[in-house]
């Protein structure tokens, strides 16, 4: 069992938890994710890691209650326990493979949309610890949905934008990126993490601006284990699975329209049957356990 040490509501329906999980904390790197099960009957929930503390043996997660399992998770309090915390899973961010010299030569911008702000934090913090500067654009619908502002301020140059203009700049993250570019910020590396539609339009813009862009495809994961086939996507014409081959991919090569359409279809039995007929075995590796 994994004890919850802290549980807070960061914004309406967005919850932060610090969980005791020493082995995960010891091994995880920015960009990776966890699978959580609230109780023995619970379904697996793949969640990106928001922060970790190796000394204390803790990991931090941020979750939006959007379904039965995440709602159940959001109701837990400090002192409660989770049945499973498995990880770290997925490949770490590309940034972790670059040398400090390489990183220092880059002008890096992170685009953090809504709840996707949480997985951006460990990447910005990682760079700060290496002495590498970066810009972060946080986009939220309204002021009260901006999360982790103070913590970001400690690790990056922070730009906030709200869709309704209630805080920071006004408009979506794409407008803020274009404005910052026009103001002279010639970025040469972008990491965009947020809703699929946001990542699609950020990639469209960064393609025009010529900024290589990495995206995190966590939103299409279901079980996060390479077994269910839900997170199948096409990257540069090649079939990939977000949970085992990612979660981060070259955003300019991702077929977002196909991934978003497939995500909708995967939600119903009828849709899954359609995908099976269309794609054959939607399973990742054909492990023989599909039945
Ligand atoms: P949201 O709908 O409030 O959007 C956040 C920001 O994204 C907006 O403020 C806007 O600036 C930008 N955005 C939205 N649509 C856009 C468009 N068409 N063009 C340009 N910019 C656009 O976000 P939310 O409700 O907090 O997000 C929840 C989503 O985030 C869920 O779908 C979840 O799956 C996803 N998420 C993704 C990751 C990841 O790893 N990619 C991690 C956590 C959550
Ligand atoms: Fe099920 Fe990737 S989430 S195969």
């Amino acid at each position: 069992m994994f004890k919850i040490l802290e549980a807070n509501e960061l914004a309406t329906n967005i919850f932060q938890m610090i969980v005791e999980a020493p082995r995960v904390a010891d091994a995880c790197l920015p960009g990776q994710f966890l699978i959580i099960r609230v109780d023995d009957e619970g379904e697996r929930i793949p969640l990106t890691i928001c922060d970790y503390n190796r000394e204390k043996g803790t990991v931090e997660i941020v979750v939006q209650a959007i379904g039965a399992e995440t709602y159940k998770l959001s109701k837990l309090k400090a002192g409660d326990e989770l049945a499973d915390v498995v990880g770290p899973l997925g490949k770490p961010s590309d940034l972790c493979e670059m040398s400090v010299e390489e990183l220092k030569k880059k002008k890096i911008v992170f685009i953090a949309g809504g709840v996707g702000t949480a997985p951006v934090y460990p990447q910005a913090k990682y760079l700060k610890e290496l002495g590498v500067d970066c810009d972060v654009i946080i986009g939220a619908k309204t002021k009260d949905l901006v999360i982790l502002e103070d913590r970001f301020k400690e690790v990056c140059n922070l730009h906030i934008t709200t869709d309704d203009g209630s805080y920071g700049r006004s408009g979506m993250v794409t407008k803020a990126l274009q404005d910052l570019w026009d103001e002279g910020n010639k970025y040469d590396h972008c990491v965009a993490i947020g809703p699929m539609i946001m990542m699609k339009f950020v990639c469209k813009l960064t393609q025009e601006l010529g900024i290589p862009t990495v995206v995190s495809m966590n939103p299409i994961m279901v079980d996060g284990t390479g077994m269910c086939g839900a997170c199948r996507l096409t990257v540069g014409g090649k079939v990939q699975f977000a949970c085992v081959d990612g979660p981060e991919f070259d955003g300019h090569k991702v077929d977002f329209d196909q991934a978003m359409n497939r995500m909708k279809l995967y939600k119903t039995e009828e849709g899954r049957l359609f995908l099976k007929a269309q794609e054959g075995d939607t399973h990742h590796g054909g492990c023989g356990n599909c039945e």
Side-chain angles (χ1 to χ4, degrees):
M1 300 295 272
F2 299 81
K3 195 168 178 183
I4 298 170
L5 302 179
E6 257 187 60
N8 302 296
E9 188 166 7
L10 293 180
T12 307
N13 215 27
I14 304 176
F15 301 86
Q16 171 231 30
M17 285 177 191
I18 296 179
V19 183
E20 218 169 42
R23 270 194 269 174
V24 180
D26 204 36
C28 66
L29 282 169
Q32 293 186 293
F33 68 96
L34 304 170
I35 293 178
I36 280 177
R37 274 195 321 143
V38 174
D39 50 43
D40 290 338
E41 285 78 47
E43 284 173 22
R44 297 183 180 100
I45 316 172
L47 288 173
T48 31
I49 298 167
C50 171
D51 201 2
Y52 48 88
N53 186 319
R54 300 203 204 286
E55 285 75 45
K56 292 184 180 165
T58 58
V59 289
E60 181 176 339
I61 51 170
V62 170
V63 62
Q64 190 175 32
I66 47 163
E69 288 302 314
T70 47
Y71 178 75
K72 211 157 66 174
L73 177 60
S74 74
K75 291 289 151 200
L76 299 181
K77 300 275 171 271
D80 291 339
E81 290 182 332
L82 298 168
D84 275 334
V85 177
V86 178
L89 297 164
K91 295 181 179 160
S93 158
D94 283 354
L95 298 172
C96 301
E97 294 190 352
M98 294 181 202
S99 67
V100 180
E101 291 69 36
E102 249 180 295
L103 289 168
K104 280 189 173 163
K105 280 188 209 141
K106 290 187 180 293
K107 186 155 176 65
I108 302 171
V109 62
F110 291 92
I111 315 280
V115 190
T117 299
V120 169
Y121 179 71
Q123 302 205 23
K125 183 178 163 193
Y126 174 84
L127 293 180
K128 173 76 179 176
E129 284 168 358
L130 294 177
V132 176
D133 259 359
C134 68
D135 282 15
V136 174
I137 301 172
I138 293 183
K141 288 192 190 82
T142 58
K143 181 181 180 184
D144 52 327
L145 290 173
V146 175
I147 57 170
L148 307 172
E149 179 180 356
D150 291 343
R151 286 168 70 185
F152 270 99
K153 276 185 184 156
E154 286 170 15
V155 297
C156 67
N157 310 309
L158 182 62
H159 308 272
I160 293 178
T161 186
T162 48
D163 297 5
D164 66 353
S166 53
Y167 192 49
R169 293 170 183 248
S170 177
M172 292 191 178
V173 289
T174 35
K175 180 175 182 303
L177 177 60
Q178 179 72 64
D179 290 347
L180 284 162
W181 180 267
D182 294 342
E183 288 159 24
N185 296 283
K186 303 300 180 206
Y187 300 112
D188 51 27
H189 187 90
C190 173
V191 179
I193 307 185
M196 293 284 282
I197 192 75
M198 180 206 91
M199 295 191 287
K200 173 184 163 170
F201 282 102
V202 167
C203 287
K204 192 166 175 285
L205 175 61
T206 55
Q207 221 153 7
E208 286 162 23
L209 299 175
I211 315 172
T213 300
V214 170
V215 295
S216 172
M217 298 302 282
N218 270 77
I220 59 174
M221 287 186 201
V222 171
D223 72 351
T225 63
M227 302 285 283
C228 70
C231 68
R232 178 180 165 134
L233 76 162
T234 308
V235 185
K238 215 172 128 194
V239 170
Q240 301 272 275
F241 289 80
C243 64
V244 280
D245 301 313
E248 295 193 348
F249 295 97
D250 178 342
H252 293 168
K253 293 188 178 163
V254 170
D255 186 336
F256 281 101
D257 291 334
Q258 184 206 50
M260 286 189 283
N261 191 35
R262 201 178 180 283
M263 195 164 79
K264 265 188 238 146
L265 285 168
Y266 197 88
K267 285 187 178 142
T268 66
E269 179 68 32
E270 179 64 18
R272 286 193 293 276
L273 287 172
F274 175 70
L275 288 171
K276 197 168 170 65
Q278 209 180 35
E279 297 169 349
D281 184 1
T282 61
H283 181 270
H284 175 52
C287 68
N289 293 325
C290 293
E291 297 309 309

